[in-house]
């Protein structure tokens, strides 16, 4: 599927395309050098903030869960936790990130995923993210 099928508006969408192959999903995000965060993160040495690497992985996990055959409910998804994440290399303007996700387990309204983000032949980030179908109540 060409559309990433996320609920985010274009200003906060960090997937350009997404596909499902069996029990895994694959997303791509081209790092347009004109993205505004490259101006300030960091001047003269631009790179993608770790929080956006995590968000792109979470969006890929959500696209997988919402569009997989295993998904019976089409309700909104939220990040419940980032269970582990390691940034192993910088992601820079002009690169294309490949984000591979795999559903590890579903626990009622929760689903845990493993992800790996690569660019060319190197691993940029990897970890585990748990999504929830329910928004935590406000305190």
């Amino acid at each position: 599927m060409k559309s990433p099928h996320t609920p985010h508006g274009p200003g906060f969408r960090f997937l350009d395309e997404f596909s499902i192959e069996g029990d895994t999903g694959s997303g791509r995000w081209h790092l347009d050098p004109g993205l505004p965060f490259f101006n300030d993160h960091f001047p003269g040495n631009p790179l993608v903030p770790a929080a956006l690497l995590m968000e792109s992985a979470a969006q890929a996990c959500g696209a997988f869960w919402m569009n997989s055959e295993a998904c019976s409910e089409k309700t909104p998804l939220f990040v419940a936790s980032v269970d582990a994440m390691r940034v192993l290399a910088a992601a820079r303007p002009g690169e294309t990130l490949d984000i591979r996700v795999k559903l590890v387990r579903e626990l009622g309204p929760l689903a845990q995923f493993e992800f790996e983000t690569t660019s060319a032949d190197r691993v940029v980030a990897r970890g585990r993210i748990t999504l929830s179908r329910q928004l935590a109540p406000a305190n």
Side-chain angles (χ1 to χ4, degrees):
M1 63 189 89
K2 184 68 171 159
S3 169
H5 295 282
T6 69
H8 305 86
F12 203 76
R13 189 173 294 139
F14 304 114
L15 284 179
D16 297 322
E17 56 187 82
F18 188 78
S19 62
I20 295 175
E21 305 96 27
D23 65 347
T24 62
S26 297
R28 298 193 101 188
W29 179 27
H30 176 69
L31 302 176
D32 182 333
L35 288 166
F37 58 80
F38 283 134
N39 292 330
D40 297 315
H41 196 266
F42 293 95
N45 187 23
L47 55 99
V48 176
L52 296 185
L53 291 173
M54 187 281 301
E55 178 63 28
S56 66
Q59 289 184 18
C61 293
F64 178 85
W65 202 19
M66 289 295 292
N67 295 289
S68 70
E69 290 180 16
C71 181
S72 58
E73 293 183 50
K74 301 295 183 193
T75 58
L77 303 175
F78 306 93
V79 173
S81 67
V82 177
D83 305 309
M85 181 175 162
R86 295 196 92 147
V87 177
L88 303 165
R92 302 203 177 270
E95 294 183 9
T96 297
L97 300 180
D98 293 301
I99 306 138
R100 195 137 180 96
V101 301
K102 181 175 175 123
L103 177 64
V104 176
R105 71 179 133 221
E106 285 187 81
L107 302 161
L110 301 173
Q112 186 178 53
F113 293 85
E114 292 178 343
F115 74 89
E116 183 172 82
T117 301
T118 60
S119 179
D121 292 332
R122 71 186 201 292
V123 176
V124 173
R126 69 168 56 111
R128 287 187 313 279
I129 294 174
T130 300
L131 299 181
S132 173
R133 293 192 184 285
Q134 300 172 345
L135 183 61
N139 290 340

